[in-house]
Amino acid sequence: MKPRTKLFLIALGVVVIAVLLAVIVLVTRFQPEPEPSPAPQDFRLLTENISEDEVRITGYEGQPTDGTLTIPEKIAEDGAEKTVAAIADGAFEGRIDEASGISRVVIPASVLQIGENAFSNNDGLAEVAFAEDSHLTYIGASAFENSSKLTAFAFPEQLREIGNFAFSGCESWSGSVALPASLTDFGFGVFEGCGISAFLAAQGSTAFRSTDGVLYDSTQTNLIAYPAQRDAAVFSVPAGVATIEARAFEGCSALECVELGEVTSIGDRAFADCDNLASVSSEHAEYVGRDAFAGTGWLELAGEKVVLGKTLYAYRGTDAHLDLSGLYSVSPYAAYGNQSLQSVTVDNAMRTIDNCAFLDCEQLAAVWLNNLNNIVYIGTDTWGGTAEDLTIYVPQRIQSAYEENALWKPYLDNIALHVTAVEFIFNGGSLDGETSFRGEVAYGGYLSLPEPKLAGYHLLGWYASEDLSGEPWPEGMLWTGFQSSVRLYAKWEKLS
């Protein structure tokens, strides 16, 4: 390369570098300054007035400095100090997570109520502490639900009510639960999904008692809650217990066999998700709630027509007709969506057919409610989604009771009587110049018997058989037949 060319290339490189440096300087000079990080917001509890002297906590702003959310007994509001008497529904719902930096909550003696969902869905909450002289009386439904890191705490001694699902999904809560003597109300599903091994009712409790870690009402007629982590495979319900409350055994994986003894009523989801439950025995069950045995091995193996005691719990068969004679009740959703059923019959034993029992049984066109003494009570949408021409046959003697009952109002156009045509054969006699008479009688009604005349003879009665054998049909007898037509024959005795 010639010296002159080499010098030219060096000079050109210097110029390019200089231009690039100038561009960088200009870009840097005119680039906007970054905004400063916002200063930490001061922690502040939000409130609303309950009265002139009291407030409830509705939430918070900012962030505590030490990981503890401490609720004071008094708080400045409108220029005056007011007592913190309650924590509102949903006040801290979903607000206490790792990002919040809060893991502990301290609740003062002045708080009387913790509202529904007040601390629910808080996966950062690990500890709740109450003042030693706490006056807390109420923990609302789902108050701490799904706060998965929350560990057990002692309940205040004045606590009276724990709402449904209050600690459901608190997976870290384990061991035994001691209930204070003051407690009068204990909801369902309170500790669902927790690791509870025993419930311990306090001595002196007027509402509850516990036996072998199982919680009952004070008279031991209602079984309220069975500890999910109890490791017994077999449980026999004690004599005298009549009711198993909703969700009482839900999720008890160790349970394989349950003997229900004298139990007559089983609440919704009472044994749901007891996945190893394979044997259930009952002679007296008169009511079984919705999904009471959902997710159990017993239900999977129970066949097409699942009857427990005196209750039809489920029907999964393919028969066109379902005879429920002798049963007292039909569980919610028992035959839901069955596309084979065309008719259903019940007798004097039936008392209740529950919500949606035959919902969306599209082929169901005839229901025979043959309880002669009382109306059969129904729930919401018991017959919803059935055949457009559904006919519900009721006894004549209580037809008006059905038509006047509020539960039956949606089905007034479906209610009908089954009528039997009756032909009376006078066998030589006559009435108003006629040798026979045609009448009718409805199921559950009374048949009036005509009185024809035959010279020289006395009418002995009316017989169902043409050869006049058997017993005569008595006057005023309740008609319980379902024939479309019948004949009755007059029997005469010659006068002496």
Side-chain angles (χ1 to χ4, degrees), residues 52-55 73-83:
E52 291 184 2
D53 304 318
E54 296 178 326
V55 295
E73 282 202 20
K74 301 281 186 178
I75 199 165
E77 182 74 27
D78 300 328
E81 273 203 339
K82 296 187 177 183
T83 300

Side-chain angles (χ1 to χ4, degrees), residues 192-440:
E192 181 182 320
C194 303
I196 307 305
S197 58
F199 292 99
L200 306 175
Q203 295 229 356
S205 172
T206 59
F208 304 102
R209 64 184 293 183
S210 54
T211 303
D212 296 330
V214 182
L215 185 64
Y216 303 88
D217 70 338
S218 59
T219 62
Q220 201 164 313
T221 56
N222 293 356
L223 191 157
I224 297 169
Y226 183 96
Q229 294 303 309
R230 197 170 189 259
D231 58 7
V234 178
F235 181 72
S236 297
V237 178
V241 175
T243 299
I244 294 177
E245 299 288 357
R247 298 177 181 264
F249 289 81
E250 187 169 15
C252 295
S253 294
L255 196 61
E256 298 176 10
C257 173
V258 62
E259 298 169 354
L260 293 173
E262 300 170 14
V263 169
T264 58
S265 177
I266 301 170
D268 294 349
R269 295 191 63 82
F271 293 90
D273 299 329
C274 295
D275 48 358
N276 289 309
L277 182 60
S279 174
V280 180
S281 60
S282 170
E283 295 182 5
H284 304 288
E286 299 176 5
Y287 173 82
V288 182
R290 182 178 179 182
D291 291 334
F293 293 91
T296 64
W298 172 77
L299 181 59
E300 291 180 8
L301 301 173
E304 294 183 345
K305 185 178 180 181
V306 185
V307 174
L308 190 66
K310 301 294 185 180
T311 300
L312 176 72
Y313 175 66
Y315 181 71
R316 304 171 289 198
T318 57
D319 292 340
H321 179 70
L322 180 61
D323 187 353
L324 300 179
S325 297
L327 298 183
Y328 289 4
S329 69
V330 180
S331 293
Y333 291 86
Y336 170 67
N338 188 291
Q339 298 305 305
S340 299
L341 275 179
Q342 298 177 26
S343 62
V344 174
T345 299
V346 308
D347 66 1
N348 273 339
M350 185 59 66
R351 302 169 184 174
T352 303
I353 302 176
D354 219 318
N355 298 335
C356 306
F358 294 95
L359 179 66
D360 292 342
C361 294
E362 297 175 356
Q363 306 304 314
L364 182 58
V367 176
W368 304 81
L369 300 181
N370 300 336
N371 187 325
L372 290 161
N373 301 318
N374 301 287
I375 70 170
V376 175
Y377 291 95
I378 57 172
T380 303
D381 273 338
T382 294
W383 315 110
T386 53
E388 290 184 7
D389 59 347
L390 173 70
T391 303
I392 301 172
Y393 294 101
V394 303
Q396 185 180 42
R397 66 187 296 186
I398 54 175
Q399 179 184 10
S400 60
Y402 278 101
E403 293 172 341
E404 294 167 4
N405 187 276
L407 297 171
W408 279 97
K409 291 294 184 186
Y411 304 104
L412 287 181
D413 293 339
N414 304 95
I415 291 175
L417 298 176
H418 179 273
V419 176
T420 298
V422 183
E423 183 180 10
F424 295 90
I425 307 299
F426 293 169
N427 280 340
S430 65
L431 180 66
D432 298 329
E434 301 292 335
T435 59
S436 66
F437 174 77
R438 294 181 182 274
E440 61 181 27

Side-chain angles (χ1 to χ4, degrees), residues 460-465 468-473 487-491:
L460 286 178
W462 295 95
Y463 290 76
S465 59
L468 305 179
S469 60
E471 295 296 322
W473 191 268
R487 282 183 173 180
L488 294 179
Y489 301 88
K491 184 176 182 178

Side-chain angles (χ1 to χ4, degrees), residues 103 125-129 144 147-154 167 170-174 191:
S103 62
L125 180 60
E127 182 183 353
V128 174
F144 294 89
S147 295
S148 57
K149 295 180 181 176
L150 181 63
T151 54
F153 57 75
F167 300 95
C170 294
E171 300 169 0
S172 299
W173 191 308
S174 61
F191 288 96

